[in-house]
Amino acid sequence: MRTHYLFLTIFLLLSAQLKAEIVLPRILGHNMVLQQGKPLNIWGKASAGELVTVQFSGQNLTTSADASGRWNVTLKPLKASATPSELVISGTNTIRLQNILVGEVWLCSGQSNMEYTMRKNSKVNPSLATPSVDGHNPVDELTYANNPQIRIFLVNRKELSKPDSLHRGWSTAQDSALRSFSAPAYFFATELHKNLNVPIGVISSAIPGSRIEPWISDAAFQEDTYYNNQKIDGEPGKFYEPMIRPLVPFTLTGFLWYQGESNCFLKETTTYSHKLKTLITSWRNAWGDSSLPFYYVSLAPFKYSESKGKLVLTKETLPEFREAQELVLSLPNTGMIGTTDLVSDLSDIHPPFKWEIGRRLALLALSNTYDRKKVVAEGPVFEKMRLRGKTIELSFAHTGSGLISKDGQPLTGFTIAGVDGVFAPAEARIDRKHVLVSAASVPNPVAVRFAWDEAAQPNLFNKEGLPARPFRTDNPLKSQLADFTTNAQRPESMHTGSQTQLRAQKSSKSSTLNQR
């Protein structure tokens, strides 16, 4: 009996001691990059009432865990530093996080084209890439990657919400850790580091084949008046809860988003616009900062019309989806890169050129977030049209140093129509900052469309090498812009997705969506 009580006492004492230990979220660990220039959130769990002290870079803060055992402190903003430092959290136990840098941190999310690994990148045909200024082909980046100032964190859906007593997760961007990491996120980081010369931390949280709805919490849908408490298809919160929420409130600069293919297969337009708006707003709210930058990728050319689902897709399904993506640019601190030139096979929904995807996303950040005025971050964007007899004159923003035909050939991708709405192939030529469009078969033109086909890979660029954004001058979404930006009551025609769509997606499990 005494032996029994002795073991029971020892067990209770050990249990109390284990319960009292400080526990950190997995995102806080060795080798991480902390965000410069912003208050820094450090948080975790301990016994209720336990005193916890956090020491870093000359700051020493003490707090106590609340009744549920949660605690957090906020470090004052720090300057960027490439000198490895130690972050110490102490209470009943002491945790020493080693090799901590201070710089810029970005969260990168989406589906398979964001998840697209550096291992896959290394298998791309090297002839598709132009060697960088240092002579290295980006396809061979795994061989040369050794920059200790670039750190990566790959979210594992099953593990992120669980603490790691060894505080692993963050790694220097090289070797086996980099092989499994997002290529777009990595190349974004390398371009930022090259221009900012500060440590860069990138977090990749992506799931192949995912629709947008799982990345939005169910509460965010319920709180958005646009949806009017309707049931949303697509499993809201399925990925947000295990893969995004545990990252809050880790301090960061902004978000990168590369997703949409799965929703394009559902033939969505403005319904996707509203979902993306809800995602952006809810993520910003979660981090408590409505101004966090959000940059995303316009979908690349692909033969959606050849898919074998219940929904009939056309060659205009993709440009209409891109148009819905563009609508979201009315939100502040957003940006979208073009990709019409970044495809080598129209039957491959995972095109290569992820090095250029990352670079173009970095251009948006450099221009808009880091205020690099000389950086041209976008290709030509249609602004307005003017009738000039039998010709339509198109004006563009983001012309950079000037408009060009990338291959030196006559401009491609333009069609023109009269009042009958029948579009015919058109001739187009550059006139300084304008493009003049006409067709002998359309003597009285009223509208122009550009790259309005899923396979279009037009040659209108600016001299900085960025492609013009697809458009149609007869864009019907313009009339909905005010409603979209004010989140007005949703029209009956704007459904949030039906059971028919969901069944259609499930029946379309073609190889294009088998993401691995």
Side-chain angles (χ1 to χ4, degrees):
M1 184 65 71
R2 289 180 180 178
T3 302
H4 172 76
Y5 281 117
L6 178 59
F7 279 121
L8 180 60
T9 301
I10 293 173
F11 174 77
L12 292 174
L13 288 173
L14 289 175
S15 297
Q17 184 178 357
L18 289 173
K19 184 179 179 181
E21 287 193 347
I22 295 170
V23 176
L24 297 179
R26 190 173 286 259
I27 190 62
L28 298 178
H30 303 301
N31 306 310
M32 67 179 167
V33 176
L34 294 175
Q35 176 64 45
Q36 68 167 327
K38 291 185 177 184
L40 291 170
N41 300 306
I42 307 296
W43 75 102
K45 293 183 178 180
S47 290
E50 181 175 353
L51 291 180
V52 178
T53 299
V54 176
Q55 298 171 289
F56 187 72
S57 190
Q59 297 186 52
N60 191 323
L61 301 177
T62 299
T63 188
S64 59
D66 64 18
S68 62
R70 293 183 175 86
W71 60 267
N72 66 80
V73 301
T74 304
L75 297 173
K76 293 178 181 179
L78 300 168
K79 293 182 179 180
S81 174
T83 301
S85 300
E86 182 180 64
L87 175 65
V88 181
I89 304 102
S90 56
T92 301
N93 59 314
T94 297
I95 298 172
R96 297 181 179 275
L97 301 181
Q98 307 290 335
N99 198 19
I100 309 303
L101 306 182
V102 181
E104 292 294 307
V105 182
W106 289 78
L107 170 57
C108 313
S109 187
Q111 59 180 107
S112 58
N113 274 308
M114 179 60 85
E115 182 266 353
Y116 192 103
T117 65
M118 289 295 292
R119 182 185 296 109
K120 294 178 184 176
N121 180 78
S122 68
K123 298 178 181 178
V124 172
N125 187 337
S127 66
L128 294 175
T130 301
S132 62
V133 292
D134 58 10
H136 298 157
N137 191 311
V139 171
D140 300 323
E141 182 65 20
L142 281 175
T143 303
Y144 302 101
N146 62 355
N147 189 337
Q149 292 192 42
I150 297 177
R151 306 291 176 80
I152 56 178
F153 185 98
L154 180 61
V155 170
N156 182 306
R157 178 185 173 190
K158 296 180 179 181
E159 295 179 351
L160 182 62
S161 61
K162 302 174 184 178
D164 176 13
S165 61
L166 298 179
H167 313 297
R168 299 161 296 185
W170 285 94
S171 303
T172 300
Q174 60 186 33
D175 302 329
S176 60
L178 183 57
R179 282 194 284 273
S180 301
F181 195 73
S182 162
Y186 170 74
F187 286 113
F188 170 83
T190 60
E191 187 70 18
L192 276 196
H193 181 264
K194 182 174 70 175
N195 286 272
L196 301 178
N197 197 29
V198 300
I200 306 295
V202 278
I203 304 164
S204 175
S205 183
I207 289 288
S210 57
R211 290 170 54 170
I212 191 173
E213 296 89 341
W215 296 102
I216 305 169
S217 70
D218 187 56
F221 279 119
Q222 293 179 10
E223 293 166 3
D224 193 326
T225 57
Y226 170 79
Y227 302 100
N228 196 26
N229 294 318
Q230 289 197 5
K231 184 181 184 301
I232 308 298
D233 295 334
E235 301 179 291
K238 180 179 179 180
F239 302 137
Y240 177 84
E241 296 302 333
M243 300 183 68
I244 300 297
R245 187 186 294 279
L247 301 173
V248 181
F250 190 75
T251 310
L252 42 74
T253 294
F255 310 104
L256 305 181
W257 180 250
Y258 193 171
Q259 189 275 341
E261 296 88 348
S262 290
N263 291 84
C264 187
F265 274 106
L266 296 177
K267 208 171 184 177
E268 290 199 68
T269 54
T270 52
T271 57
Y272 184 84
S273 306
H274 281 270
K275 291 168 188 173
L276 184 53
K277 177 185 177 181
T278 301
L279 182 145
I280 295 170
T281 302
S282 64
W283 285 20
R284 287 171 169 174
N285 289 342
W287 265 268
D289 186 348
S290 62
S291 66
L292 288 175
F294 191 99
Y295 302 132
Y296 56 102
V297 181
S298 176
L299 296 191
F302 177 74
K303 294 180 180 180
Y304 287 91
S305 62
E306 296 184 5
S307 63
K308 304 298 181 181
K310 289 185 178 181
L311 292 176
V312 178
L313 307 184
T314 71
K315 293 183 178 181
E316 295 187 353
T317 296
L318 174 58
E320 289 174 355
F321 186 85
R322 290 188 186 125
E323 195 173 59
Q325 288 183 295
E326 183 180 2
L327 185 62
V328 184
L329 294 175
S330 58
L331 297 182
N333 295 327
T334 56
M336 181 179 74
I337 65 167
T339 60
T340 51
D341 59 324
L342 301 183
V343 63
S344 59
D345 180 356
L346 289 171
S347 63
D348 184 3
I349 204 167
H350 305 115
F353 307 104
K354 294 301 189 282
W355 53 87
E356 181 64 9
I357 293 289
R359 189 185 77 89
R360 291 182 185 179
L361 287 168
L363 292 178
L364 283 177
L366 290 167
S367 176
N368 302 333
T369 301
Y370 300 109
D371 204 28
R372 298 297 176 94
K373 298 297 186 183
K374 294 183 179 180
V375 172
V376 176
E378 298 181 65
V381 175
F382 167 70
E383 274 194 323
K384 60 182 178 180
M385 60 168 275
R386 183 166 71 98
L387 296 177
R388 292 175 51 178
K390 297 181 180 181
T391 300
I392 290 181
E393 178 189 84
L394 303 173
S395 298
F396 293 85
H398 305 292
T399 55
S401 301
L403 298 173
I404 63 168
S405 164
K406 185 179 182 181
D407 56 7
Q409 299 299 308
L411 295 182
T412 60
F414 287 92
T415 58
I416 195 168
V419 292
D420 60 1
V422 177
F423 283 84
E427 295 181 357
R429 63 182 178 87
I430 297 169
D431 181 18
R432 290 171 292 181
K433 291 187 176 182
H434 303 100
V435 172
L436 304 180
V437 186
S438 62
S441 61
V442 185
N444 299 299
V446 298
V448 170
R449 293 180 176 180
F450 171 69
W452 209 251
D453 183 286
E454 64 186 9
Q457 300 173 65
N459 57 1
L460 178 60
F461 283 64
N462 57 28
K463 289 183 179 179
E464 284 70 21
L466 299 173
R469 183 186 299 167
F471 67 89
R472 51 180 169 173
T473 62
D474 55 329
N475 181 355
L477 299 189
K478 289 182 179 179
S479 62
Q480 299 177 13
L481 183 59
D483 286 345
F484 180 81
T485 55
T486 59
N487 204 19
Q489 184 175 359
R490 56 190 284 281
E492 287 302 317
S493 61
M494 291 188 184
H495 53 84
T496 58
S498 64
Q499 291 294 334
T500 300
Q501 287 178 317
L502 184 60
R503 288 193 295 269
Q505 187 211 27
K506 291 180 177 179
S507 68
S508 183
K509 292 182 178 178
S510 64
S511 60
T512 56
L513 284 183
N514 291 330
Q515 306 288 338
R516 292 189 181 275

